[in-house]
Amino acid sequence: MPVIKPSFISLDTSHLTHWIREALSTKESERNRAKKFSDWLMHSGTLILISMHHIEELCVHNDENTVLWRLRFLHSLPFVAWISDGTVTPGPSSITSIMRAEALAAFSEPKASIGRVRDLASRTLVRVGTGEELLGPSPDDWLLLREEFIRRSEHSRNLVAVAHSNVVDLSSKPLSELLNGRVRSQEDLERQLKVIEGSFAFDIAKHGDKRIRNPGAVARDFVGKIIETRQRLPDNAADLVMQSLAAMGVEKSDIATDMTVGQALDLGLFLQQMKIVTATADVSFTDLKRLVSQERVPSWVISSSLRQYAPPLPERKGSDLIDIHLACLSAYADVTLVDKRTLEAFRRAQRANPVLSSVCKAIKRAASYSDIPDLVGT
């Protein structure tokens, strides 16, 4: 009997929730539409690829009963695929496990291309089983994490609102200018930051996630953390910059003469992530840093490209962060469904960075989950 290799498809969470809602609907026409999609999955040998980010988004609905029915539906699936942490531990994992598998793959083969790194990582990342194996014997137990998921969702709104703001944008400034600059006194800094705080609050109210209840408090908290951090740093400009970068893992030898502030911060963010995701691995961070570069880690290339080339939008939603995490599944799913804004970001990024096309598989957008079979063409 021939063995058929399954195809993996990553649904946008809106498709997943629509499919579940119609499968459990009281209307026969909606149940039939959901069944038709389920039948297509089975007969085409296609498995839904689930990550922890999907579960998280399913659980933040404001009605607990809705969350419960969503979890029970996933639990009932006869076959499903999910992102694993690469160990015997069951259950779905997140972008952290993806980056860890990629970093260790790149470390194991220092000359491997980004495509080869992806292929090596995929051997431990994707697991196949039943819905019960995905969620455990009792799907209701996931409700215990619902409050934490809601808290993280609120944190994401604030993080995206601040991190993607252009109120203060030094990304294109040569790093050398900061190194050769002067440092404001603590009093001058606090005075200037109070002015900036108002600009941040206005920007968050205008362009941040509309679910942010108090833009002023978000801006105040951000500025307060800057002031607190500054008190622990030296007064010399070069020392201040280098100590700040060193905290992220960036050393003097890592800095090129023509490096911009944005490039230095990107490197720092990458190194921070590598340090976190490999903290439990039997690998020296010094060796990892020497052998694993940004351009060889698929999820970093995807996420950083999408951040860099995303089209300007009137509202910076907290869900954008999870959308980018889910977009990283495009390296492992045969087809990844994304929303309109993410698809446009992919198009722009692929034009600017051809490497994306070599690491990402099919990326598509569908108005409804029921359109997917025709869109995929299987």
Side-chain angles (χ1 to χ4, degrees), residues 57 68 211 274 368:
E57 288 206 305
L68 188 57
R211 293 170 294 178
M274 291 297 99
S368 167

Side-chain angles (χ1 to χ4, degrees), residues 153-167 199-212 214-215 218-219 222 315-321:
S153 179
E154 292 174 350
H155 175 70
S156 293
R157 296 171 202 165
N158 298 344
L159 178 63
V160 170
V162 171
H164 294 183
S165 173
N166 60 2
V167 169
S199 299
F200 263 119
F202 178 80
D203 182 67
I204 293 169
K206 186 175 181 181
H207 298 296
D209 194 306
K210 299 309 177 189
R211 293 170 294 178
I212 294 177
N214 191 337
V218 175
F222 174 64
E315 181 181 356
R316 300 188 295 270
K317 296 183 178 181
S319 58
D320 289 352
L321 188 59

Side-chain angles (χ1 to χ4, degrees), residues 63-314:
D63 180 68
E64 187 174 292
N65 286 327
T66 298
V67 173
L68 188 57
W69 285 113
R70 289 174 172 180
L71 292 169
R72 288 176 178 175
F73 177 86
L74 287 183
H75 188 262
S76 71
L77 293 177
F79 293 106
V80 66
W82 63 91
I83 295 297
S84 163
D85 68 357
T87 70
V88 295
T89 304
S93 199
S94 67
I95 186 66
T96 302
S97 292
I98 294 175
M99 294 194 80
R100 181 181 189 274
E102 293 170 347
L104 295 180
F107 179 80
S108 69
E109 291 193 14
K111 295 183 179 180
S113 66
I114 188 171
R116 171 65 176 166
V117 169
R118 175 200 60 196
D119 294 342
L120 288 171
S122 67
R123 296 176 183 177
T124 59
L125 275 178
V126 181
R127 185 173 295 180
V128 173
T130 65
E132 182 176 351
E133 289 173 305
L134 167 70
L135 295 181
S138 175
D140 299 22
D141 290 347
W142 284 85
L143 289 178
L144 298 173
L145 294 174
R146 183 163 168 264
E147 286 190 13
E148 173 61 15
F149 288 150
I150 291 173
R151 186 198 66 77
R152 283 166 46 158
S153 179
E154 292 174 350
H155 175 70
S156 293
R157 296 171 202 165
N158 298 344
L159 178 63
V160 170
V162 171
H164 294 183
S165 173
N166 60 2
V167 169
V168 179
D169 185 6
L170 301 177
S171 59
S172 61
K173 189 181 185 71
L175 184 61
S176 58
E177 287 190 22
L178 289 190
L179 291 169
N180 296 321
R182 67 179 184 85
V183 178
R184 291 177 181 271
S185 68
Q186 186 71 20
E187 294 75 16
D188 276 352
L189 176 65
E190 291 187 20
R191 192 180 305 114
Q192 183 65 28
L193 285 174
K194 283 299 178 182
V195 175
I196 293 174
E197 180 184 316
S199 299
F200 263 119
F202 178 80
D203 182 67
I204 293 169
K206 186 175 181 181
H207 298 296
D209 194 306
K210 299 309 177 189
R211 293 170 294 178
I212 294 177
R213 297 172 187 163
N214 191 337
V218 175
R220 188 161 53 253
D221 180 63
F222 174 64
V223 167
K225 287 177 180 176
I226 295 177
I227 293 173
E228 181 183 348
T229 300
R230 172 64 188 90
Q231 291 172 344
R232 301 193 297 268
L233 294 173
D235 292 329
N236 176 274
D239 291 343
L240 186 151
V241 172
M242 290 309 304
Q243 188 169 319
S244 300
L245 290 175
M248 303 174 76
V250 180
E251 301 172 81
K252 191 171 183 179
S253 59
D254 300 322
I255 297 174
T257 54
D258 59 347
M259 183 175 274
T260 64
V261 173
Q263 289 170 332
L265 292 177
D266 270 353
L267 176 59
L269 177 60
F270 172 74
L271 293 175
Q272 276 187 318
Q273 291 178 350
M274 291 297 99
K275 197 166 191 175
I276 291 170
V277 301
T278 60
T280 59
D282 188 21
V283 173
S284 159
F285 179 69
T286 301
D287 291 338
L288 185 85
K289 178 181 174 182
R290 178 171 52 85
L291 296 176
V292 179
S293 58
Q294 292 166 283
E295 64 271 12
R296 291 203 306 128
V297 178
S299 58
W300 171 264
V301 171
I302 294 169
S303 59
S304 61
S305 295
L306 292 182
R307 285 194 298 268
Q308 182 177 359
Y309 297 106
L313 295 166

